[in-house]
Amino acid sequence: MALRNDFLWGGATAANQCEGAYNVDGRGLSTVDLHPEGDMRWPVALGWRKMYDFEEGYFYPGQGAIDHYHRYKEDIALMAEMGFKVYRLSIAWTRIFPNGDDAEPNEAGLQHYDDVFDECKKYGIEPLVSICHFDCPMHLVKTIGSWRSRGMIDHFARYAETIFRRYKDKVKYWLTFNEINMILHLPFTAAGICFDESEKGIDVSSLQALARTPLGPEESKRRKQIQHNAIHHELIASALVTKIAHEINPAFKVGCMLAGGVTYPYTSHPNDVWKAMLHDRSTFTFGDVHARGEYPAYHLKQLEREGLTIPWLDGDAELLKNHTVDFISFSYYSTRVISADPNIVDITSSNAAYTLRNPHLKASDWGWQIDPLGLRINLNTLYDRYKKPLFIVENGLGAHDTPDANGYVKDDYRIAYMREHIKVMLETVEEDGVDLLGYTSWAPIDLVSASTGEMSKRYGFVYVDRDDEGNGTLKRTKKKSFDWYKKVIASNGADLD
């Protein structure tokens, strides 16, 4: 079974990493605006360092990003030249409701995305829209505590209904929350949750300082309960907006989005195998609720053992059960390795986390381990578990790119990375029978890195002249991978040379 004829090839971005124009046309302040570049980025993302407004001495790369807000026509034209069938993008919540609880939506924000979708339509590009890609209005963080409050559900549903009705004839594919399982890893980034340790004497001067600051059992339990409250509220909100979407337009296809990856045991010792299984269960919990409509038994038992609760209200269980998603989407960059032996400490970086180093794999410039076969394992695992169509909505290589005198980047390393992953993707469909809707690379154009805030961690087929301090002309230049990906799309994956 080859790829379907209508396979959706394309690329993916996020508003907060590419749009810039953070205070233009009525846009309000969002959590994603307040992630500075440098040592304080992770303490903020983790919810340890309270940063509710811009502060002196910090650089906030999302303020300007690559100015996609004003240059979207140029950027979409480049995507069209590559032959994109789909463009995954996100709507910035605070462009539509600047405070989150405004009486009326912001017409300038609504019109902007009308214009973006019209530009996509001009080239026959299908929009795939993330409703929330790590966005939360800061006004709601300050007034109700963001997703720790059940009040967020109504605000999110009103926002979603507004864009569903506005774009019901322009957008077919929707994702509710980007990498929803990141609540477990980056609470402020994923859910606007700040634990605010300013009065507890916690050293938040750097990520290394945080690692040296153990939490007591009571504080650890308090934080976990806040996170699980937020998880439930987001899952209920996801089911509710899925219900609303199908009522407004039955042709809508609504998916969830998981931060994907597979965890390998460090050895064949049963303890390592068991620990790897436990680690992956945290991701499956989110997929199970979205696709099966209920929390898995192991998750409920774990909460019971830890003295944690789910903030159920009447009607929640029925909402989850009756309004599951149409497809499962996920990001895939690398696999992880875990051991039950505390003496094994050879670690490297992964997507918003750390992992033991896999001696059988090479790694990217940022330590993310490169594992094409892991993508096949991930696809099969999800499809076997859920029997719903899958969509790879993020996959790519963050690397140092060095342009020549003409601004051209010969990124053979990126082509090699993508070739091997796409080859495995094709094998998974053809040999394993996985139902795959599409593939959107991260990212079609260089943008601000979510993990580090750097521009020097580049993913795109198009080079953007901007450095880590925000300097540069923003000129767009095609890389070698641009023409390679164009050929891949034109051949529906048959030509990978």
Side-chain angles (χ1 to χ4, degrees):
M1 183 178 72
L3 294 181
R4 57 176 75 212
N5 292 330
D6 60 350
F7 189 79
L8 294 170
W9 292 97
T13 66
N16 63 86
Q17 293 170 254
C18 69
E19 282 187 353
Y22 78 100
N23 59 355
V24 172
D25 292 335
R27 183 187 182 280
L29 190 64
S30 176
T31 48
V32 286
D33 300 324
L34 298 171
H35 286 56
E37 197 265 344
D39 285 346
M40 199 52 65
R41 189 173 184 85
W42 277 78
V44 169
L46 289 163
W48 288 71
R49 169 62 155 83
K50 186 175 183 178
M51 190 174 282
Y52 282 8
D53 209 335
F54 300 119
E55 297 182 11
E56 291 285 335
Y58 295 103
F59 172 59
Y60 298 90
Q63 288 184 338
I66 62 167
D67 198 27
H68 182 64
Y69 185 79
H70 294 112
R71 297 169 178 255
Y72 68 89
K73 289 186 178 182
E74 175 187 1
D75 295 340
I76 292 173
L78 288 165
M79 297 176 201
E81 187 178 340
M82 278 186 280
F84 276 27
K85 311 299 182 185
V86 63
Y87 172 31
R88 181 195 168 206
L89 68 153
S90 69
I91 291 177
W93 186 346
T94 55
R95 290 203 190 280
I96 311 304
F97 289 98
N99 297 298
D101 60 359
D102 309 80
E104 298 293 335
N106 175 31
E107 178 57 31
L110 288 167
Q111 185 59 52
H112 171 72
Y113 293 107
D114 263 321
D115 296 340
V116 170
F117 298 144
D118 288 344
E119 198 68 17
C120 289
K121 183 179 180 181
K122 183 170 81 174
Y123 296 106
I125 298 174
E126 189 87 51
L128 167 61
V129 176
S130 302
I131 301 169
C132 181
H133 195 123
F134 298 154
D135 283 87
C136 180
M138 277 307 302
H139 174 73
L140 296 180
V141 175
K142 296 174 182 178
T143 55
I144 65 173
S146 186
W147 284 101
R148 69 174 69 199
S149 167
R150 193 175 178 99
M152 283 291 287
I153 297 173
D154 287 340
H155 294 306
F156 184 71
R158 182 164 173 258
Y159 156 57
E161 181 173 357
T162 299
I163 58 177
F164 289 155
R165 293 193 183 282
R166 179 76 172 222
Y167 310 124
K168 63 183 175 66
D169 299 320
K170 297 184 178 184
V171 178
K172 177 182 178 181
Y173 295 97
W174 301 88
L175 303 178
T176 54
F177 291 93
N178 176 71
E179 294 187 330
I180 188 170
N181 46 323
M182 281 297 173
I183 298 178
L184 296 172
H185 308 290
L186 302 174
F188 186 75
T189 299
I193 294 171
C194 183
F195 300 112
D196 189 8
E197 296 304 317
S198 58
E199 298 178 3
K200 297 182 180 293
I202 300 295
D203 184 357
V204 294
S205 60
S206 68
L207 186 59
Q208 290 73 25
L210 290 179
R212 294 192 298 268
T213 310
L215 293 173
E218 289 186 9
E219 179 59 20
S220 178
K221 181 179 178 181
R222 181 184 79 90
R223 293 182 180 210
K224 287 182 179 179
Q225 185 61 66
I226 290 171
Q227 285 172 285
H228 284 287
N229 289 349
I231 287 167
H232 186 67
H233 294 152
E234 285 202 0
L235 289 170
I236 292 297
S238 183
L240 178 57
V241 302
T242 301
K243 173 179 182 290
I244 293 169
H246 289 147
E247 289 171 348
I248 290 174
N249 185 347
F252 279 165
K253 298 297 181 184
V254 183
C256 64
M257 201 292 210
L258 309 173
V262 177
T263 306
Y264 299 143
Y266 187 72
T267 70
S268 58
H269 193 292
N271 288 346
D272 283 359
V273 176
W274 177 245
K275 189 158 187 179
M277 178 179 169
L278 292 179
H279 195 269
D280 280 344
R281 276 180 164 182
S282 63
T283 298
F284 293 148
T285 294
F286 293 87
D288 286 0
V289 177
H290 276 109
R292 294 174 168 176
E294 59 188 21
Y295 287 98
Y298 62 76
H299 178 74
L300 299 176
K301 283 293 186 181
Q302 179 185 343
L303 295 185
E304 182 182 315
R305 287 193 300 273
E306 296 181 6
L308 304 173
T309 59
I310 295 174
W312 292 104
L313 287 186
D314 290 345
D316 283 1
E318 292 76 15
L319 188 67
L320 294 176
K321 195 67 178 176
N322 295 332
H323 301 286
T324 55
V325 293
D326 301 307
F327 64 95
I328 310 288
S329 77
F330 65 99
S331 59
Y332 179 83
Y333 296 98
S334 60
T335 47
R336 299 172 291 267
V337 178
I338 200 166
S339 174
D341 184 349
N343 295 314
I344 299 175
V345 293
D346 184 16
I347 63 171
T348 186
S349 182
S350 184
N351 185 11
Y354 287 92
T355 175
L356 292 178
R357 196 179 308 276
N358 190 326
H360 306 290
L361 300 176
K362 295 180 180 179
S364 74
D365 294 345
W366 274 262
W368 294 23
Q369 298 176 113
I370 299 171
D371 184 5
L373 183 56
L375 176 58
R376 186 172 186 174
I377 297 169
N378 205 166
L379 283 163
N380 276 281
T381 301
L382 292 174
Y383 193 63
D384 288 349
R385 190 176 184 94
Y386 300 123
K387 293 295 188 289
K388 286 181 180 279
L390 303 181
F391 205 136
I392 303 168
V393 294
E394 287 185 30
N395 173 242
L397 177 68
H400 290 289
D401 289 343
T402 304
D404 64 18
N406 298 315
Y408 182 72
V409 175
K410 190 177 180 182
D411 54 342
D412 293 293
Y413 42 87
R414 181 168 293 108
I415 293 171
Y417 174 98
M418 297 194 66
R419 177 188 293 118
E420 294 307 308
H421 283 77
I422 291 173
K423 185 185 299 182
V424 164
M425 178 187 79
L426 295 170
E427 291 170 351
T428 305
V429 173
E430 294 169 0
E431 298 178 16
D432 305 334
V434 168
D435 185 4
L436 191 62
L437 296 174
Y439 172 92
T440 57
S441 69
W442 188 272
I445 186 169
D446 291 346
L447 37 63
V448 175
S449 167
S451 58
T452 67
E454 298 168 300
M455 275 298 298
S456 55
K457 188 181 183 184
R458 297 179 181 273
Y459 284 88
F461 307 119
V462 177
Y463 185 88
V464 177
D465 180 27
R466 187 180 193 265
D467 65 19
D468 291 341
E469 286 73 48
N471 305 307
T473 65
L474 296 176
K475 179 183 177 182
R476 275 69 163 150
T477 307
K478 302 172 196 175
K479 304 178 189 178
K480 183 177 180 180
S481 57
F482 183 100
D483 290 317
W484 177 83
Y485 195 48
K486 179 179 180 179
K487 182 174 58 174
V488 171
I489 295 173
S491 66
N492 202 22
D495 187 353
L496 298 176
D497 294 334

